[in-house]
Amino acid sequence: MKESRATRVIAAFFTSSLMLVSGCGGTSTVEPATHVSIQNATTDSVAVFLFEREDSYLVDPIPETSSAAMRDRLIPPGGQRLFELTQVLRYQSGKDLRVFIYRVRQGRAVFAAIRDASSASLRSNGYAVEIPATAFQSP
């Protein structure tokens, strides 16, 4: 049976594609992120809790607590804080994050806002999430 030119081209393309895929081993050369930076652009101190977004639907935020209870989660106005992604319950690379934001005033931390960060936005922003200056304004 005589092979057509199209069949040879398709076979060559398929073979070279397999070699490219097997050559890269299916792994990325980019190291997975280990931390996420939360940046506070508001004029208030904030405290944050990070969740994998799908899991966050199972969590009822605490409406209010003392700021002392949030000491390890505080971010001053205009400041930033690094959080280890391994500390985010069930977080895996490629998942979306949800940040519960508490406004801290006069020794109290009051639940005030939610900020979502998709997997794509995390990658494109260098695993940084900004709490914008407008975070506490009503829509």
Side-chain angles (χ1 to χ4, degrees):
M1 184 161 143
K2 191 171 182 179
E3 229 179 334
S4 73
R5 184 173 190 281
T7 304
R8 286 191 306 264
V9 169
I10 290 170
F13 175 76
F14 182 72
T15 303
S16 63
S17 296
L18 279 177
M19 289 183 350
L20 281 173
V21 170
S22 65
C24 69
T27 61
S28 171
T29 58
V30 176
E31 291 291 321
T34 58
H35 292 81
V36 62
S37 171
I38 307 295
Q39 302 164 346
N40 179 9
T42 72
T43 57
D44 291 304
S45 289
V46 299
V48 298
F49 280 94
L50 282 67
F51 296 93
E52 188 276 322
R53 192 179 68 172
E54 290 299 317
D55 285 347
S56 73
Y57 295 115
L58 304 174
V59 177
D60 286 330
I62 302 166
E64 183 176 338
T65 189
S66 73
S67 59
M70 302 282 225
R71 182 179 45 245
D72 295 338
R73 301 172 176 286
L74 287 175
I75 307 171
Q80 70 176 2
R81 187 174 201 133
L82 288 177
F83 292 89
E84 289 185 36
L85 287 170
T86 57
Q87 298 301 311
V88 179
L89 184 64
R90 294 175 24 151
Y91 180 79
Q92 297 173 7
S93 182
K95 297 281 190 168
D96 300 340
L97 277 179
R98 175 162 282 169
V99 182
F100 285 9
I101 305 164
Y102 288 77
R103 187 181 219 172
V104 178
R105 287 183 168 169
Q106 300 174 353
R108 303 300 302 161
V110 178
F111 179 71
I114 291 176
R115 181 87 170 153
D116 288 335
S118 71
S119 158
S121 72
L122 286 168
R123 284 190 308 276
S124 67
N125 293 322
Y127 280 81
V129 177
E130 181 185 62
I131 301 169
T134 58
F136 306 129
Q137 294 178 357
S138 299

